[in-house]
Structure formats: C-alpha cells, structure tokens
Amino acid sequence: MAAKKAADTKGKVVLAYSGGLDTSVAIPWLMDQGYEVVTMTADVGQQADDLDEINEKAIRTGAVTAHMMDLRGEMIENFIWPGLKANALYEGVYPLNSAYSRPLIAKALIYVAQREGAVAIAHGCTGKGQDQVRIEVCANALDPGVAVLAPVRDWHWSREDEMEYAVKHDIPVPITRQSPYSLDDNLWGRSCECGVLEDPWNTPPKGAYGLTADPTEAPDKPEIVEITFDKGVPVALDGKKLNGIKLIDQLNKLAGKHGVGRIDMVENRLVGFKSREVYECPAAVTLITAHKALETIVLSKDVMRVKSDLEKKFAELAYEGCWFSPLMTAIQAFMDTTQEVVSGTVRVRLYKGSAVAEGSKSENAIYRYDLATYSEGDAFDHAASVGFIKVWGLPIKTWTQTHEKGKVNFKSAVKEKKLTALAPFCEISA
Ligand code: ARG
C-alpha cells in the first residue's frame, strides 16, 4: 500500500503502535481520514516475540515511517524506581505496571511528533479505559493543546467489522484464536482482563496467567534471594551487581517460578466503574516487600508515617493519569529525600506464592540492638519510663478526673451498658 504524498494530506500523525489488530487497522483508517501515519512502538520489556517485525508490519500496512523505541531504561529510571521508592500499590495491591507505561508512551509520542513535525498524535485505546485518560492527560501536560486522535474510541466497530476492514486492507489477521483476554505487559508486570474474569465469582482459569507458576505447583523447596539497595534502588541480587533491566528480568523469572506476584482484584477505575483484573508482578512484589523491610530499619517513625500517607497518594496519582502533575513532582521530591538512607541488603524467601523478608541489614540502621534487647547488654534507661508514662498519660488521666469525677465507676458503667464486656465480673446483670 503506497502512502499518500505529503502535499495531499492533512499532515503526519504519530500513532502509538503495538502491532496488534486494533492499532494495525488504525493505520489505513487514519490514512482514509487524510493523514500520513508515522508509528511509534515502545519497547517497555513486553513479552513480544516479534518486536523486530513490528516496524516492518507498520510499513507494510501503510505507515510512512516506523519508530521502535527502546524505552526500558527510561521506564525503569523514571517510573519503576520512583514507584518502588514510594512502595506504590494502587488500592494497596496493584503495582501499577500498566499505569507506569502510559505517561512514558505519551512522552515518546510527543517527542516523535515534534521531530517529525506531526500535526497530531494517536492511540488505540477504547473509551472505557483509563489508558486513554493517562495518555491524553500526560500528552497535554507535556505539550498543551496537542491534537489527539483515538480511532478505536471513535469508530464503534465490532471485532467482526474490524476483521473485515483488516482483510480489505491486507492486514494479517491472527489465524489462531486470539487470547480471550485483554493483555498488557512490561518489565514491571502483566495485566489481564476481560473474558471469564468479568464475572468476579469465577476463579481465574490457568490460561489467565502467563508469567508465574501456580503456587500449588511451585517448587517444594523455598529459595532465598538477597537484594541489595542503594538509596532506595535495587542494585544487586545475591551480591552480584546488575543493571535494572537484568535485575528485574532475573527476579521476574526467579520469583515467578515460585508463584510469587499473582494479584486478583476488583479495582475502582477512574472512569467510574469497577473492573476485575488479574496481575502478575513477581519482581515488583518481591522488590516492594524487600524495600519496605529495609525502610523499617533505616527510616524514622515520623517519616514512615507521613511517607505511608504519601505512598497512597502517589499510587492514586499514577493510576489516575496525573504523572506529570505538580503534586506528583513534589511527592517524588519527598520520596527521594527519604531514600538517601535506604541502602542495605534484605534476604527474601520465595516459597509457593509468597515472598517474605526474613532479614535486613544496613549501615544506616537506626534499629539499635542495645536498646531493643531483653538480654545482657541492655542500654535502655528503664527508670526513665516512670516519668515518661506520667507525662504521656497525663491528658487521658485528666479527662477521667474531670468527667468521671475522679474514677470510672465500673458498676454504673455496666448498668448504663457502656461496659457490657465487664458485666460478668461486676456481679450485676448488664
Ligand atoms: N486496570 C489496569 C490499569 O488501569 C490495567 C489495564 C491494562 N490493560 C489491559 N489490557 N489489561 O492500569
């Protein structure tokens, strides 16, 4: 298929292209609307066996230029590590793997659009997901007013319409039955939705998983891995220094073999309804577990408390498309400050679906043996506790003295049914 000449067109549009059916069909569709199509495929560590062929396929389908961008390094440095520093888990469980790749894709689209002198960017998201929100909000944060085309959202086609259009435009349609699920994956994990998972009563079938062993079939012997962190960032496994890509990759395989990182949740979507998702994030779950354990020995109580509130906010902002927002920038600055001391090693035990931190050490540990021990060498000032308790409990004691006239009367409290649990001890019926 020959591309139209620049002079006849409305200009170039940069399409986020995965090589799948939706975004492939989007190429001739955008051309029919009068655009020249430039594709941008992001390599974020997805399990694609034909990554090299994607550019070729884009050109065959009608794109004038096809860009393959290896964004794994940037994904790790600017999204995964900040997320790990924040122990970020949406609604307490989802490590945000899909959510992290969208602002990055938006950034790459804007970058290519500027270089190519394009008039618009385009994506293949539907109108029901949050990926459309993330890409468009993030793209506008980087290039306010950028024109965004969303063919899949606009055209309301059925799968059959799409197939027919694909055949008409010589786009290879997968011959094998497509996965019954909607999948998305990258270095930080794999997301799986749709199909039988849409009924939250259904147990996810074996086929919904692709990265992890079923914990019941995982090895009978646990495996121990030592993870070393430098300022909140993992830098070595079992003492061997590794770059981020290798470290995450190895840990995905190792923890995945032990069935670690399976998450089955119904989540609250930004667009107003709930959806059921099955995630597999072996490296993410293991690293967050280890990172949290290390933080417990190096961070102060106050920092940990405030950090935990901000971790929740960080996850919500990432999930809801606000990556490039002033609040996210401020929270990341806070996180970075806290991570100055988060260096050390954690020993994690991987066994039949669980990753448990079994030991941690750090030169920055404020855990003090001599203060904590109940054995010989105890340096804690026991006598100081007497005055401490007096002052600490003073406001509560004062309250009782004022409102209970000096002493709580248990008998009357039981009578008034304020203290029913004590009734048996007060020789009266409550
Ligand atoms: N619900 C997740 C999120 O919004 C994952 C969506 C990824 N897409 C998919 N096809 N499963 O981040």
Side-chain angles (χ1 to χ4, degrees):
M1 189 179 313
K4 289 187 185 177
K5 285 220 178 72
D8 316 327
T9 73
K10 290 182 187 164
K12 286 181 187 169
V13 57
V14 182
L15 169 70
Y17 182 65
S18 69
L21 186 62
D22 282 342
T23 51
S24 292
V25 171
I27 298 177
W29 188 85
L30 288 165
M31 289 166 66
D32 284 349
Q33 313 301 304
Y35 294 98
E36 282 185 284
V37 180
V38 173
T39 59
M40 189 292 295
T41 305
D43 175 3
V44 283
Q46 62 270 47
Q47 311 274 107
D49 25 61
D50 57 348
L51 215 52
D52 301 336
E53 290 161 30
I54 289 181
N55 276 355
E56 229 175 86
K57 184 173 177 188
I59 300 288
R60 259 202 330 267
T61 312
V64 286
T65 316
H67 298 274
M68 170 67 63
M69 300 181 78
D70 182 355
L71 301 177
R72 291 172 303 165
E74 162 123 18
M75 169 97 179
I76 292 176
E77 288 306 316
N78 295 329
F79 297 88
I80 292 177
W81 289 166
L84 177 59
K85 289 175 182 176
N87 299 317
L89 295 169
Y90 180 65
E91 297 189 332
V93 273
Y94 163 43
L96 295 153
N97 43 293
S98 294
Y100 290 156
S101 68
R102 276 29 182 196
L104 178 55
I105 288 170
K107 195 171 168 185
L109 285 172
I110 296 291
Y111 171 81
V112 174
Q114 287 179 357
R115 270 193 26 184
E116 291 273 356
V119 296
I121 60 168
H123 62 72
C125 306
T126 68
K128 285 182 82 165
Q130 29 223 7
D131 289 336
Q132 51 169 347
V133 181
R134 294 170 184 150
I135 292 181
E136 294 185 31
V137 170
C138 291
N140 269 279
L142 299 170
D143 185 1
V146 62
V148 185
L149 304 170
V152 177
R153 185 172 62 197
D154 292 348
W155 65 35
H156 307 295
W157 288 358
S158 67
R159 200 77 185 160
E160 290 71 34
D161 293 338
E162 226 178 281
M163 300 271 202
E164 200 179 302
Y165 189 80
V167 171
K168 215 172 92 196
H169 288 84
D170 284 336
I171 295 165
V173 172
I175 345 143
T176 48
R177 209 168 70 85
Q178 276 238 317
S179 162
Y181 307 106
S182 164
L183 301 168
D184 179 64
D185 73 314
N186 59 54
L187 286 162
W188 206 229
R190 178 181 188 267
S191 309
C192 175
E193 61 181 348
C194 301
V196 295
L197 299 174
E198 284 172 357
D199 180 345
W201 176 248
N202 288 338
T203 302
K206 275 190 183 306
Y209 297 102
L211 278 187
T212 54
D214 182 330
T216 61
E217 290 161 14
D220 290 325
K221 265 184 69 185
E223 212 159 334
I224 305 293
V225 61
E226 283 189 12
I227 305 169
T228 303
F229 290 85
D230 180 31
K231 299 192 175 172
V233 170
V235 291
L237 294 183
D238 292 325
K240 199 171 153 228
K241 274 204 180 297
L242 293 169
N243 70 27
I245 298 176
K246 286 210 176 107
L247 190 142
I248 292 175
D249 194 48
Q250 278 191 20
L251 213 45
N252 268 331
K253 292 194 177 109
L254 179 67
K257 186 175 89 183
H258 288 277
V260 170
R262 288 190 170 191
I263 296 152
D264 177 3
M265 77 185 286
V266 170
E267 71 196 37
N268 289 298
R269 278 202 185 182
L270 171 58
V271 286
F273 59 95
K274 290 179 187 285
S275 71
R276 207 290 184 74
E277 292 268 3
V278 168
Y279 298 106
E280 289 171 281
C281 309
V285 166
T286 308
L287 287 171
I288 293 171
T289 301
H291 181 257
K292 276 186 173 172
L294 183 56
E295 287 191 331
T296 63
I297 62 167
V298 298
L299 295 185
S300 77
K301 178 175 82 176
D302 290 343
V303 166
M304 283 183 74
R305 287 186 179 177
V306 172
K307 184 170 185 286
S308 139
D309 290 344
L310 291 177
E311 287 174 351
K312 191 163 167 267
K313 195 68 213 170
F314 178 108
E316 285 168 4
L317 290 172
Y319 188 86
E320 295 178 349
C322 305
W323 189 271
F324 299 113
S325 66
L327 181 54
M328 181 57 119
T329 306
I331 291 179
Q332 284 194 29
F334 170 87
M335 295 296 170
D336 282 340
T337 306
T338 65
Q339 298 303 295
E340 284 296 317
V341 294
V342 187
S343 303
T345 299
V346 180
R347 200 172 61 251
V348 181
R349 182 177 189 263
L350 306 166
Y351 181 61
K352 294 207 183 282
S354 71
V356 177
E358 289 194 327
S360 40
K361 61 177 180 186
S362 167
E363 287 188 354
N364 300 327
I366 47 173
Y367 176 94
R368 285 251 311 263
Y369 176 84
D370 60 343
L371 292 178
T373 186
Y374 282 85
S375 306
E376 222 172 298
D378 181 1
F380 185 80
D381 181 355
H382 292 239
S385 288
V386 179
F388 168 74
I389 293 165
K390 261 190 199 154
V391 176
W392 180 250
L394 187 59
I396 301 173
K397 185 170 150 187
T398 307
W399 181 269
T400 305
Q401 286 169 333
T402 308
H403 296 284
E404 312 285 347
K405 306 276 182 296
K407 204 181 196 183
V408 172
N409 181 330
F410 284 104
K411 281 200 177 173
S412 66
V414 169
K415 248 191 203 149
E416 288 161 28
K417 297 200 173 171
K418 282 191 201 154
L419 282 172
T420 48
L422 283 178
F425 306 104
C426 289
E427 293 165 359
I428 49 164
S429 54

